[in-house]
Amino acid sequence: MTGRLLRRGLATAAVALAALSLQSTGTTATAAPQPVVGGTRAAQGEFPWMIRLSMGCGGALYTQQIVLTAAHCVSGSGNNTSITATAGVVDLNSSAATKVRSTKVLQAPGYNGNGKDWALIKLAQPINLPTLKIADTTAYNSGTFTVAGWGAAREGGGQQRYLLKADVPFVSDAACSSAYSGSLIAAEEICAGNLAQGGVDTCQGDSGGPMFRRDNAGAWIQVGITSWGEGCARAGYPGVYTEVSTFAAAIRSAAAGL
Ligand code: ARG
């Protein structure tokens, strides 16, 4: 329940954070920047489908003209020209960035703040970059995942200028549900993180961004959408992600109608 409340709070926080100037945190000299939380800097072009959204969330190119993000990052469905998607750069301040406005938003049907945390944003023009395919079976809902984003590098920290990435191990529904006192919606959410030690996680401002891994053919495949957690990178509290395979059919049909 704390987690549930937290999610709503963080959605608001993400909007508030978007108003702040971007800053690079990370302690000087002694340590490399700690991306996401406990990560490292992504290389230019490493995750070409990564999108930064102007309300302070992440996303991924589902098609060249549709961004998959979190429902809690948007305020509803309909025509919407207020969102700017930034693509093609790890450095948000780069003059090489592609910036495209939204035209429409589709928030997951039935979204009420618990589960179903996905949304689509249609762009005014296609972006000529690779897309990230989504998992449409449970086959890849295990193993080690990669997360990325421009969100806080520590709980309570500022948004990042450079894209950060980290690897997070799968956490079972049983362990995650127990960590969150039963508030996990196991059919709709998938958890990841270092349950015993913490230290690596997504954080505020990473919401809506993808959690992904390699499929059997070696291609990146999206298995999660950053959704919520109790704080960031705390021991005993894994990150909670929208389980993409559960919603793959709904996402596909929503995108076809957008
Ligand atoms: N809800 C957050 C956002 O809006 C993401 C939180 C993820 N937290 C976590 N501990 N994994 O950016």
Side-chain angles (χ1 to χ4, degrees):
M1 327 303 170
T2 319
R4 294 287 162 198
L5 293 172
L6 191 70
R7 169 159 43 194
R8 291 210 183 83
L10 290 181
T12 310
V15 173
L17 285 166
L20 301 173
S21 61
L22 296 165
Q23 58 183 78
S24 176
T25 58
T27 49
T28 54
T30 50
Q34 298 286 292
V36 172
V37 176
T40 55
R41 236 183 236 187
Q44 177 60 39
E46 188 175 6
F47 308 124
W49 22 257
M50 271 302 300
I51 299 291
R52 175 66 171 183
L53 295 169
S54 53
M55 84 294 277
C57 279
L61 283 178
Y62 173 70
T63 70
Q64 291 188 329
Q65 207 169 350
I66 297 179
V67 176
L68 177 59
T69 186
H72 81 262
C73 290
V74 300
S75 48
S77 298
N79 293 338
N80 185 326
T81 57
S82 73
I83 302 167
T84 300
T86 300
V89 288
V90 292
D91 175 4
L92 292 177
N93 291 356
S94 169
S95 59
T98 298
K99 292 182 191 255
V100 179
R101 282 281 189 161
S102 60
T103 56
K104 290 180 194 177
V105 172
L106 187 136
Q107 195 176 42
Y111 175 70
N112 69 357
N114 287 331
K116 298 179 180 54
D117 197 7
W118 65 270
L120 297 176
I121 296 173
K122 181 142 193 197
L123 304 174
Q125 292 93 222
I127 296 176
N128 189 20
L129 284 169
T131 59
L132 179 58
K133 76 177 157 169
I134 63 170
D136 59 4
T137 74
T138 57
Y140 299 110
N141 292 349
S142 62
T144 297
F145 309 122
T146 300
V147 290
W150 289 271
R154 58 181 171 80
E155 196 175 320
Q159 300 293 288
Q160 300 293 299
R161 171 175 172 176
Y162 296 97
L163 180 63
L164 301 172
K165 62 170 180 175
D167 286 344
V168 283
F170 169 73
V171 172
S172 73
D173 284 345
C176 193
S177 186
S178 146
Y180 286 112
S181 309
S183 67
L184 182 78
I185 303 175
E188 301 187 3
E189 295 172 324
I190 179 171
C191 303
N194 189 328
L195 187 60
Q197 274 136 24
V200 58
D201 198 4
T202 46
C203 200
Q204 286 97 325
D206 292 320
S207 273
M211 178 169 79
F212 47 95
R213 53 162 284 174
R214 298 281 190 180
D215 69 10
N216 291 338
W220 290 119
I221 189 164
Q222 183 173 0
V223 300
I225 299 168
T226 302
S227 183
W228 62 279
E230 173 73 41
C232 302
R234 296 188 191 178
Y237 294 99
V240 184
Y241 299 80
T242 308
E243 191 167 311
V244 165
S245 59
T246 297
F247 299 106
I251 291 168
R252 185 176 302 114
S253 69
L258 201 61

